mmCIF file of all heavy atoms in Angstrom:
data_model
loop_
_atom_site.group_PDB
_atom_site.id
_atom_site.type_symbol
_atom_site.label_atom_id
_atom_site.label_comp_id
_atom_site.label_asym_id
_atom_site.label_seq_id
_atom_site.Cartn_x
_atom_site.Cartn_y
_atom_site.Cartn_z
ATOM 1 N N TYR A 4 3.265 1.145 -8.304
ATOM 2 C CA TYR A 4 4.212 0.893 -9.384
ATOM 3 C C TYR A 4 5.044 2.138 -9.614
ATOM 4 O O TYR A 4 4.602 3.257 -9.336
ATOM 5 C CB TYR A 4 3.472 0.517 -10.674
ATOM 6 C CG TYR A 4 2.813 -0.832 -10.580
ATOM 7 C CD1 TYR A 4 1.487 -0.946 -10.185
ATOM 8 C CD2 TYR A 4 3.522 -1.990 -10.862
ATOM 9 C CE1 TYR A 4 0.879 -2.194 -10.085
ATOM 10 C CE2 TYR A 4 2.922 -3.242 -10.752
ATOM 11 C CZ TYR A 4 1.612 -3.333 -10.367
ATOM 12 O OH TYR A 4 1.021 -4.557 -10.266
ATOM 13 N N TYR A 5 6.240 1.939 -10.150
ATOM 14 C CA TYR A 5 7.188 3.020 -10.346
ATOM 15 C C TYR A 5 7.649 3.041 -11.797
ATOM 16 O O TYR A 5 7.732 2.002 -12.457
ATOM 17 C CB TYR A 5 8.389 2.847 -9.401
ATOM 18 C CG TYR A 5 7.929 2.829 -7.963
ATOM 19 C CD1 TYR A 5 7.536 1.642 -7.349
ATOM 20 C CD2 TYR A 5 7.809 4.009 -7.240
ATOM 21 C CE1 TYR A 5 7.071 1.632 -6.051
ATOM 22 C CE2 TYR A 5 7.336 4.006 -5.933
ATOM 23 C CZ TYR A 5 6.968 2.810 -5.357
ATOM 24 O OH TYR A 5 6.485 2.804 -4.065
ATOM 25 N N LEU A 6 7.953 4.256 -12.260
ATOM 26 C CA LEU A 6 8.386 4.473 -13.635
ATOM 27 C C LEU A 6 9.590 5.402 -13.578
ATOM 28 O O LEU A 6 9.621 6.339 -12.775
ATOM 29 C CB LEU A 6 7.245 5.109 -14.437
ATOM 30 C CG LEU A 6 7.403 5.221 -15.938
ATOM 31 C CD1 LEU A 6 7.482 3.838 -16.590
ATOM 32 C CD2 LEU A 6 6.257 6.003 -16.542
ATOM 33 N N ALA A 7 10.571 5.159 -14.426
ATOM 34 C CA ALA A 7 11.772 5.994 -14.444
ATOM 35 C C ALA A 7 11.421 7.428 -14.816
ATOM 36 O O ALA A 7 10.569 7.666 -15.685
ATOM 37 C CB ALA A 7 12.785 5.443 -15.435
ATOM 38 N N ASN A 8 12.095 8.369 -14.170
ATOM 39 C CA ASN A 8 11.989 9.758 -14.586
ATOM 40 C C ASN A 8 12.627 9.876 -15.972
ATOM 41 O O ASN A 8 13.559 9.117 -16.295
ATOM 42 C CB ASN A 8 12.705 10.667 -13.592
ATOM 43 C CG ASN A 8 12.035 10.666 -12.237
ATOM 44 O OD1 ASN A 8 10.823 10.467 -12.114
ATOM 45 N ND2 ASN A 8 12.815 10.870 -11.192
ATOM 46 N N PRO A 9 12.142 10.784 -16.806
ATOM 47 C CA PRO A 9 12.629 10.860 -18.196
ATOM 48 C C PRO A 9 14.149 10.914 -18.325
ATOM 49 O O PRO A 9 14.721 10.263 -19.208
ATOM 50 C CB PRO A 9 11.978 12.138 -18.727
ATOM 51 C CG PRO A 9 10.742 12.301 -17.906
ATOM 52 C CD PRO A 9 11.104 11.779 -16.536
ATOM 53 N N GLU A 10 14.822 11.655 -17.448
ATOM 54 C CA GLU A 10 16.274 11.787 -17.568
ATOM 55 C C GLU A 10 17.029 10.504 -17.208
ATOM 56 O O GLU A 10 18.222 10.377 -17.471
ATOM 57 C CB GLU A 10 16.787 12.972 -16.728
ATOM 58 C CG GLU A 10 16.612 12.799 -15.237
ATOM 59 C CD GLU A 10 15.278 13.306 -14.683
ATOM 60 O OE1 GLU A 10 14.284 13.441 -15.445
ATOM 61 O OE2 GLU A 10 15.220 13.557 -13.474
ATOM 62 N N HIS A 11 16.346 9.524 -16.633
ATOM 63 C CA HIS A 11 16.980 8.256 -16.262
ATOM 64 C C HIS A 11 16.424 7.071 -17.059
ATOM 65 O O HIS A 11 16.853 5.936 -16.844
ATOM 66 C CB HIS A 11 16.793 7.988 -14.765
ATOM 67 C CG HIS A 11 17.436 9.020 -13.909
ATOM 68 N ND1 HIS A 11 18.797 9.125 -13.757
ATOM 69 C CD2 HIS A 11 16.901 10.021 -13.175
ATOM 70 C CE1 HIS A 11 19.071 10.137 -12.958
ATOM 71 N NE2 HIS A 11 17.936 10.699 -12.589
ATOM 72 N N SER A 12 15.527 7.336 -17.960
ATOM 73 C CA SER A 12 14.854 6.264 -18.696
ATOM 74 C C SER A 12 15.835 5.379 -19.466
ATOM 75 O O SER A 12 15.759 4.161 -19.408
ATOM 76 C CB SER A 12 13.809 6.860 -19.640
ATOM 77 O OG SER A 12 13.043 5.836 -20.223
ATOM 78 N N ASP A 13 16.779 5.980 -20.193
ATOM 79 C CA ASP A 13 17.732 5.187 -20.972
ATOM 80 C C ASP A 13 18.590 4.304 -20.079
ATOM 81 O O ASP A 13 18.860 3.152 -20.408
ATOM 82 C CB ASP A 13 18.627 6.090 -21.819
ATOM 83 C CG ASP A 13 17.896 6.694 -23.010
ATOM 84 O OD1 ASP A 13 16.787 6.224 -23.344
ATOM 85 O OD2 ASP A 13 18.439 7.648 -23.605
ATOM 86 N N ALA A 14 19.022 4.842 -18.941
ATOM 87 C CA ALA A 14 19.877 4.073 -18.037
ATOM 88 C C ALA A 14 19.118 2.903 -17.417
ATOM 89 O O ALA A 14 19.687 1.833 -17.198
ATOM 90 C CB ALA A 14 20.428 4.981 -16.937
ATOM 91 N N ILE A 15 17.843 3.085 -17.149
ATOM 92 C CA ILE A 15 17.062 2.039 -16.491
ATOM 93 C C ILE A 15 16.515 1.022 -17.488
ATOM 94 O O ILE A 15 16.573 -0.182 -17.259
ATOM 95 C CB ILE A 15 15.930 2.668 -15.644
ATOM 96 C CG1 ILE A 15 16.562 3.428 -14.464
ATOM 97 C CG2 ILE A 15 14.942 1.615 -15.157
ATOM 98 C CD1 ILE A 15 15.596 4.218 -13.611
ATOM 99 N N TYR A 16 16.003 1.483 -18.613
ATOM 100 C CA TYR A 16 15.362 0.571 -19.565
ATOM 101 C C TYR A 16 16.236 0.186 -20.744
ATOM 102 O O TYR A 16 15.895 -0.737 -21.477
ATOM 103 C CB TYR A 16 14.056 1.181 -20.088
ATOM 104 C CG TYR A 16 13.071 1.510 -19.004
ATOM 105 C CD1 TYR A 16 12.724 2.820 -18.733
ATOM 106 C CD2 TYR A 16 12.496 0.508 -18.237
ATOM 107 C CE1 TYR A 16 11.816 3.137 -17.724
ATOM 108 C CE2 TYR A 16 11.595 0.803 -17.223
ATOM 109 C CZ TYR A 16 11.265 2.127 -16.977
ATOM 110 O OH TYR A 16 10.384 2.425 -15.985
ATOM 111 N N GLY A 17 17.333 0.905 -20.957
ATOM 112 C CA GLY A 17 18.180 0.617 -22.120
ATOM 113 C C GLY A 17 17.393 0.838 -23.393
ATOM 114 O O GLY A 17 16.741 1.868 -23.552
ATOM 115 N N ASP A 18 17.426 -0.134 -24.283
ATOM 116 C CA ASP A 18 16.712 -0.001 -25.553
ATOM 117 C C ASP A 18 15.309 -0.621 -25.498
ATOM 118 O O ASP A 18 14.673 -0.815 -26.520
ATOM 119 C CB ASP A 18 17.526 -0.599 -26.701
ATOM 120 C CG ASP A 18 17.779 -2.088 -26.530
ATOM 121 O OD1 ASP A 18 17.436 -2.659 -25.463
ATOM 122 O OD2 ASP A 18 18.317 -2.705 -27.463
ATOM 123 N N GLN A 19 14.828 -0.913 -24.294
ATOM 124 C CA GLN A 19 13.489 -1.480 -24.123
ATOM 125 C C GLN A 19 12.473 -0.364 -23.876
ATOM 126 O O GLN A 19 12.826 0.724 -23.449
ATOM 127 C CB GLN A 19 13.482 -2.431 -22.920
ATOM 128 C CG GLN A 19 14.494 -3.549 -23.008
ATOM 129 C CD GLN A 19 14.230 -4.493 -24.159
ATOM 130 O OE1 GLN A 19 13.114 -4.924 -24.367
ATOM 131 N NE2 GLN A 19 15.264 -4.785 -24.927
ATOM 132 N N TYR A 20 11.224 -0.657 -24.141
ATOM 133 C CA TYR A 20 10.164 0.301 -23.825
ATOM 134 C C TYR A 20 10.024 0.419 -22.310
ATOM 135 O O TYR A 20 10.208 -0.569 -21.595
ATOM 136 C CB TYR A 20 8.823 -0.150 -24.413
ATOM 137 C CG TYR A 20 8.708 0.084 -25.884
ATOM 138 C CD1 TYR A 20 8.793 -0.978 -26.771
ATOM 139 C CD2 TYR A 20 8.511 1.366 -26.402
ATOM 140 C CE1 TYR A 20 8.697 -0.767 -28.148
ATOM 141 C CE2 TYR A 20 8.411 1.584 -27.750
ATOM 142 C CZ TYR A 20 8.510 0.511 -28.626
ATOM 143 O OH TYR A 20 8.410 0.726 -29.971
ATOM 144 N N PRO A 21 9.697 1.603 -21.821
ATOM 145 C CA PRO A 21 9.461 1.751 -20.382
ATOM 146 C C PRO A 21 8.316 0.848 -19.926
ATOM 147 O O PRO A 21 7.418 0.521 -20.713
ATOM 148 C CB PRO A 21 9.055 3.223 -20.233
ATOM 149 C CG PRO A 21 9.564 3.891 -21.454
ATOM 150 C CD PRO A 21 9.518 2.855 -22.535
ATOM 151 N N VAL A 22 8.370 0.446 -18.684
ATOM 152 C CA VAL A 22 7.310 -0.346 -18.084
ATOM 153 C C VAL A 22 7.261 0.014 -16.602
ATOM 154 O O VAL A 22 8.284 0.344 -16.008
ATOM 155 C CB VAL A 22 7.524 -1.864 -18.296
ATOM 156 C CG1 VAL A 22 8.758 -2.353 -17.572
ATOM 157 C CG2 VAL A 22 6.308 -2.666 -17.917
#
Side-chain angles (χ1 to χ4, degrees):
Y4 291 94
Y5 301 88
L6 189 64
N8 294 331
E10 66 271 21
H11 298 288
S12 187
D13 287 346
I15 292 174
Y16 302 114
D18 62 354
Q19 303 296 313
Y20 283 106
V22 65

